[in-house]
Coordinates of all heavy atoms in Angstrom, one line a residue:
L328 N 138.9 -30.9 -33.2 CA 137.5 -30.8 -33.5 C 136.7 -30.8 -32.2 O 135.7 -30.0 -32.1 CB 137.1 -32.0 -34.3 CG 137.6 -32.1 -35.8 CD1 137.0 -33.3 -36.5 CD2 137.1 -30.8 -36.5
D329 N 137.1 -31.6 -31.2 CA 136.4 -31.6 -29.9 C 136.5 -30.3 -29.2 O 135.6 -29.8 -28.6 CB 136.9 -32.7 -29.1 CG 136.2 -34.1 -29.4 OD1 135.2 -34.0 -30.1 OD2 136.7 -35.1 -28.9
A330 N 137.7 -29.7 -29.3 CA 137.9 -28.5 -28.6 C 137.1 -27.3 -29.2 O 136.7 -26.4 -28.5 CB 139.4 -28.1 -28.7
D331 N 136.8 -27.4 -30.5 CA 136.0 -26.3 -31.1 C 134.5 -26.5 -31.1 O 133.8 -25.5 -31.2 CB 136.5 -26.2 -32.6 CG 137.9 -25.6 -32.7 OD1 138.4 -25.2 -31.6 OD2 138.4 -25.6 -33.8
H332 N 134.1 -27.8 -31.0 CA 132.6 -28.0 -31.2 C 132.1 -29.0 -30.2 O 132.6 -30.0 -29.9 CB 132.3 -28.5 -32.6 CG 132.4 -27.4 -33.6 ND1 133.6 -27.2 -34.2 CD2 131.6 -26.4 -34.0 CE1 133.5 -26.1 -35.1 NE2 132.3 -25.7 -35.0
Y333 N 130.9 -28.6 -29.6 CA 130.2 -29.4 -28.7 C 129.5 -30.5 -29.4 O 128.9 -30.3 -30.5 CB 129.2 -28.5 -28.0 CG 128.2 -29.3 -27.2 CD1 128.5 -29.8 -25.9 CD2 126.9 -29.5 -27.7 CE1 127.5 -30.5 -25.2 CE2 125.9 -30.2 -27.0 CZ 126.2 -30.7 -25.7 OH 125.3 -31.4 -25.0
D334 N 129.6 -31.7 -28.8 CA 128.9 -32.9 -29.3 C 129.2 -33.2 -30.8 O 130.3 -33.4 -31.2 CB 127.4 -32.7 -29.1 CG 126.6 -34.0 -29.2 OD1 127.3 -35.1 -29.1 OD2 125.4 -34.0 -29.5
L335 N 128.1 -33.2 -31.7 CA 128.3 -33.4 -33.1 C 129.1 -34.7 -33.3 O 129.9 -34.7 -34.3 CB 128.9 -32.2 -33.8 CG 128.2 -30.9 -33.8 CD1 129.0 -29.8 -34.4 CD2 126.8 -31.0 -34.5
K339 N 131.6 -35.5 -36.5 CA 133.0 -35.5 -36.3 C 133.6 -36.8 -36.7 O 134.7 -36.9 -37.4 CB 133.4 -35.2 -34.8 CG 133.2 -33.8 -34.4 CD 133.4 -33.6 -32.9 CE 133.0 -32.3 -32.4 NZ 133.0 -32.3 -30.9
F362 N 128.4 -30.2 -45.8 CA 127.6 -30.1 -44.6 C 126.3 -29.5 -44.9 O 126.2 -28.4 -45.4 CB 128.3 -29.2 -43.5 CG 129.7 -29.8 -43.1 CD1 130.7 -28.9 -42.9 CD2 129.9 -31.1 -42.9 CE1 132.0 -29.4 -42.5 CE2 131.1 -31.6 -42.5 CZ 132.2 -30.7 -42.3
V363 N 125.2 -30.2 -44.5 CA 123.9 -29.7 -44.8 C 123.1 -29.5 -43.4 O 123.1 -30.5 -42.6 CB 123.1 -30.6 -45.7 CG1 121.7 -30.1 -45.9 CG2 123.8 -30.8 -47.0
G364 N 122.5 -28.4 -43.2 CA 121.8 -28.2 -42.0 C 121.3 -26.7 -41.9 O 121.8 -25.9 -42.6
P365 N 120.5 -26.5 -40.9 CA 120.0 -25.1 -40.7 C 121.1 -24.1 -40.4 O 122.2 -24.6 -40.0 CB 119.0 -25.2 -39.6 CG 119.2 -26.6 -39.0 CD 119.9 -27.4 -40.0
P366 N 120.8 -22.8 -40.5 CA 121.8 -21.8 -40.2 C 122.3 -21.9 -38.7 O 121.5 -22.2 -37.9 CB 121.1 -20.5 -40.5 CG 119.9 -20.8 -41.2 CD 119.5 -22.2 -40.9
G367 N 123.5 -21.6 -38.5 CA 124.0 -21.4 -37.1 C 124.3 -22.7 -36.4 O 124.4 -22.7 -35.2
V368 N 124.3 -23.9 -37.1 CA 124.6 -25.1 -36.4 C 126.1 -25.5 -36.4 O 126.5 -26.5 -36.0 CB 123.8 -26.3 -36.9 CG1 122.3 -26.1 -36.5 CG2 123.9 -26.5 -38.4
G369 N 126.9 -24.6 -37.0 CA 128.3 -24.9 -37.0 C 129.0 -25.4 -38.3 O 130.1 -25.9 -38.2
K370 N 128.3 -25.3 -39.4 CA 128.8 -25.8 -40.6 C 130.1 -25.1 -41.0 O 131.1 -25.8 -41.3 CB 127.8 -25.7 -41.8 CG 126.5 -26.4 -41.5 CD 125.5 -26.3 -42.6 CE 125.1 -24.9 -42.9 NZ 124.3 -24.3 -41.8
T371 N 130.0 -23.8 -41.1 CA 131.2 -23.1 -41.5 C 132.3 -23.2 -40.5 O 133.5 -23.4 -40.8 CB 130.9 -21.6 -41.7 OG1 129.7 -21.5 -42.6 CG2 132.0 -20.8 -42.3
S372 N 131.9 -23.1 -39.2 CA 133.0 -23.2 -38.2 C 133.6 -24.5 -38.1 O 134.8 -24.7 -37.7 CB 132.5 -22.6 -36.9 OG 131.7 -23.6 -36.2
L373 N 132.9 -25.6 -38.5 CA 133.5 -26.9 -38.6 C 134.6 -26.9 -39.7 O 135.7 -27.5 -39.5 CB 132.5 -28.0 -39.0 CG 131.8 -28.7 -37.8 CD1 130.7 -29.6 -38.4 CD2 132.8 -29.5 -37.0
G374 N 134.3 -26.2 -40.8 CA 135.3 -26.1 -41.8 C 136.6 -25.4 -41.3 O 137.7 -25.9 -41.5
R375 N 136.4 -24.4 -40.6 CA 137.5 -23.6 -40.0 C 138.3 -24.5 -39.1 O 139.5 -24.5 -39.0 CB 136.9 -22.4 -39.2 CG 137.9 -21.3 -39.0 CD 137.2 -20.2 -38.2 NE 136.2 -19.5 -39.0 CZ 136.4 -18.5 -39.7 NH1 137.6 -18.0 -39.9 NH2 135.4 -17.9 -40.4
R387 N 137.2 -19.0 -47.3 CA 135.7 -19.2 -47.4 C 135.2 -18.3 -48.5 O 135.6 -17.2 -48.7 CB 135.1 -18.7 -46.1 CG 133.6 -18.8 -46.0 CD 133.1 -18.3 -44.7 NE 131.7 -18.1 -44.8 CZ 131.2 -16.9 -45.1 NH1 131.9 -15.9 -45.3 NH2 129.9 -16.9 -45.3
V429 N 136.2 -23.5 -48.0 CA 134.8 -23.7 -47.7 C 133.9 -22.9 -48.7 O 134.1 -21.7 -48.9 CB 134.4 -23.3 -46.3 CG1 132.9 -23.2 -46.1 CG2 135.0 -24.3 -45.3
D431 N 130.5 -21.8 -49.1 CA 129.3 -21.7 -48.3 C 128.1 -21.5 -49.2 O 128.1 -20.9 -50.3 CB 129.4 -20.5 -47.4 CG 129.6 -20.9 -46.0 OD1 129.3 -22.0 -45.6 OD2 130.2 -20.1 -45.2
E432 N 127.0 -22.1 -48.8 CA 125.7 -21.9 -49.4 C 125.6 -22.3 -50.9 O 125.1 -21.6 -51.7 CB 125.2 -20.4 -49.3 CG 125.4 -19.9 -47.9 CD 124.7 -18.5 -47.7 OE1 125.0 -17.6 -48.5 OE2 123.8 -18.4 -46.8
T479 N 128.9 -26.1 -47.9 CA 127.8 -26.1 -46.9 C 126.5 -25.7 -47.6 O 126.5 -25.0 -48.6 CB 128.1 -25.1 -45.8 OG1 127.7 -23.8 -46.2 CG2 129.5 -25.2 -45.3
A480 N 125.4 -26.2 -47.0 CA 124.1 -25.9 -47.6 C 123.0 -26.0 -46.5 O 123.2 -26.7 -45.5 CB 123.8 -26.8 -48.7
N481 N 121.9 -25.2 -46.7 CA 120.8 -25.4 -45.8 C 119.9 -26.5 -46.2 O 119.3 -27.2 -45.4 CB 120.0 -24.1 -45.8 CG 120.7 -22.9 -45.1 OD1 120.6 -21.8 -45.4 ND2 121.5 -23.3 -44.1
L499 N 123.7 -32.0 -40.5 CA 123.7 -31.4 -39.1 C 122.3 -31.0 -38.7 O 121.6 -30.3 -39.5 CB 124.7 -30.2 -39.0 CG 126.2 -30.5 -39.1 CD1 126.7 -30.5 -40.5 CD2 126.9 -29.4 -38.2
Y502 N 119.6 -27.7 -32.9 CA 119.8 -28.0 -31.5 C 118.6 -27.8 -30.6 O 117.7 -27.0 -30.9 CB 120.9 -27.1 -30.9 CG 122.3 -27.2 -31.6 CD1 122.9 -26.2 -32.3 CD2 122.9 -28.5 -31.7 CE1 124.1 -26.3 -32.9 CE2 124.1 -28.6 -32.3 CZ 124.7 -27.5 -32.9 OH 125.9 -27.6 -33.5
D506 N 120.8 -28.4 -25.7 CA 122.1 -28.3 -26.5 C 122.6 -26.9 -26.5 O 123.8 -26.7 -26.3 CB 121.8 -28.7 -28.0 CG 121.5 -30.2 -28.1 OD1 121.9 -31.0 -27.2 OD2 120.8 -30.6 -29.1
H509 N 124.3 -25.8 -23.4 CA 125.6 -26.4 -23.2 C 126.6 -25.7 -24.1 O 127.7 -25.4 -23.7 CB 125.6 -27.9 -23.6 CG 124.9 -28.8 -22.6 ND1 125.2 -28.8 -21.3 CD2 123.9 -29.7 -22.7 CE1 124.5 -29.6 -20.6 NE2 123.6 -30.2 -21.5
I510 N 126.2 -25.5 -25.4 CA 127.1 -24.9 -26.4 C 127.5 -23.5 -25.9 O 128.7 -23.1 -25.9 CB 126.5 -24.8 -27.8 CG1 126.3 -26.2 -28.3 CG2 127.4 -24.0 -28.7 CD1 125.6 -26.3 -29.7
A511 N 126.5 -22.8 -25.4 CA 126.8 -21.5 -24.9 C 127.7 -21.5 -23.7 O 128.7 -20.8 -23.7 CB 125.5 -20.8 -24.5
R513 N 129.9 -23.7 -22.8 CA 131.3 -24.2 -23.0 C 132.0 -23.4 -24.1 O 133.2 -23.3 -24.1 CB 131.2 -25.6 -23.3 CG 131.3 -26.5 -22.1 CD 131.5 -27.9 -22.4 NE 130.3 -28.6 -21.9 CZ 130.0 -29.9 -22.2 NH1 130.8 -30.5 -23.1 NH2 129.0 -30.5 -21.7
Y514 N 131.3 -22.9 -25.0 CA 131.9 -22.3 -26.2 C 131.6 -20.8 -26.4 O 132.5 -20.0 -26.4 CB 131.6 -23.0 -27.5 CG 132.1 -24.5 -27.4 CD1 131.2 -25.5 -26.9 CD2 133.3 -24.9 -27.9 CE1 131.6 -26.8 -26.9 CE2 133.7 -26.2 -27.8 CZ 132.9 -27.1 -27.3 OH 133.3 -28.4 -27.3
L515 N 130.3 -20.5 -26.5 CA 130.0 -19.2 -27.0 C 130.3 -18.1 -25.9 O 130.8 -17.1 -26.2 CB 128.5 -19.1 -27.4 CG 128.0 -20.2 -28.4 CD1 126.5 -20.1 -28.7 CD2 128.8 -20.1 -29.6
K518 N 134.0 -17.6 -25.5 CA 134.5 -17.0 -26.8 C 134.1 -15.5 -26.8 O 135.0 -14.6 -27.1 CB 133.8 -17.7 -28.0 CG 134.4 -17.3 -29.3 CD 134.0 -18.4 -30.4 CE 133.3 -17.7 -31.6 NZ 132.6 -18.6 -32.4
Q519 N 132.9 -15.2 -26.5 CA 132.4 -13.8 -26.5 C 133.1 -12.9 -25.5 O 133.4 -11.8 -25.7 CB 130.9 -13.7 -26.4 CG 130.2 -14.1 -27.7 CD 130.6 -13.3 -28.9 OE1 130.8 -12.1 -28.8 NE2 130.8 -14.0 -30.1
E522 N 136.5 -12.3 -26.9 CA 136.5 -11.4 -28.1 C 136.2 -9.9 -27.7 O 136.6 -9.0 -28.4 CB 135.4 -11.9 -29.1 CG 136.0 -12.9 -30.0 CD 135.1 -13.3 -31.1 OE1 134.1 -12.6 -31.4 OE2 135.3 -14.4 -31.7
G549 N 119.8 -23.1 -34.9 CA 121.3 -23.0 -34.6 C 121.5 -22.1 -33.4 O 120.6 -21.8 -32.6
V550 N 122.7 -21.5 -33.3 CA 123.0 -20.7 -32.1 C 123.6 -19.4 -32.5 O 124.2 -18.7 -31.7 CB 124.1 -21.4 -31.2 CG1 123.5 -22.7 -30.6 CG2 125.3 -21.8 -32.0
R551 N 123.3 -19.0 -33.8 CA 123.9 -17.7 -34.3 C 123.4 -16.5 -33.5 O 124.2 -15.7 -33.0 CB 123.6 -17.6 -35.7 CG 124.5 -16.6 -36.4 CD 124.3 -16.6 -37.9 NE 124.9 -17.7 -38.5 CZ 124.8 -18.0 -39.8 NH1 124.0 -17.3 -40.6 NH2 125.4 -19.1 -40.3
N552 N 122.1 -16.4 -33.4 CA 121.5 -15.2 -32.7 C 121.8 -15.3 -31.2 O 122.0 -14.3 -30.5 CB 120.0 -15.1 -32.9 CG 119.7 -14.8 -34.4 OD1 120.5 -14.0 -35.0 ND2 118.7 -15.3 -34.9
E554 N 124.5 -16.5 -29.9 CA 125.9 -16.0 -29.8 C 125.9 -14.5 -29.9 O 126.6 -13.8 -29.1 CB 126.8 -16.6 -30.8 CG 128.2 -16.2 -30.7 CD 129.2 -16.9 -31.6 OE1 128.7 -17.6 -32.6 OE2 130.4 -16.8 -31.4
Ligands
ADP901 N1 128.3 -27.6 -31.8 C1 128.9 -26.4 -31.6 N2 129.8 -26.2 -30.7 C2 130.3 -25.0 -30.5 N3 130.0 -23.9 -31.2 C3 129.1 -24.0 -32.2 C4 128.5 -25.3 -32.4 N4 127.6 -25.1 -33.4 C5 127.7 -23.8 -33.8 N5 128.6 -23.2 -33.1 C6 129.0 -21.8 -33.2 O1 127.9 -21.0 -33.7 C7 128.3 -20.0 -34.5 C8 127.6 -20.1 -35.9 O2 128.1 -21.2 -36.6 P1 128.3 -21.3 -38.1 O3 129.4 -22.2 -38.4 O4 128.5 -19.9 -38.6 O5 127.0 -21.9 -38.6 P2 126.5 -22.3 -40.1 O6 127.7 -22.2 -40.9 O7 126.1 -23.7 -39.9 O8 125.4 -21.4 -40.4 C9 129.8 -20.1 -34.6 O9 130.4 -19.2 -33.7 C10 130.0 -21.5 -34.2 O10 131.3 -21.7 -33.6

Side-chain angles (χ1 to χ4, degrees):
L328 289 183
D329 276 346
D331 290 350
H332 289 90
Y333 166 79
D334 195 24
L335 299 176
K339 289 175 187 168
F362 299 140
V363 179
V368 292
K370 301 182 297 297
T371 309
S372 78
L373 268 175
R375 202 180 292 272
R387 176 179 166 268
V429 168
D431 254 335
E432 310 192 306
T479 80
N481 289 146
L499 286 89
Y502 299 121
D506 289 337
H509 286 308
I510 294 173
R513 270 187 243 169
Y514 299 90
L515 309 180
K518 192 165 127 196
Q519 287 300 322
E522 272 185 18
V550 291
R551 196 172 285 173
N552 292 327
E554 181 172 16

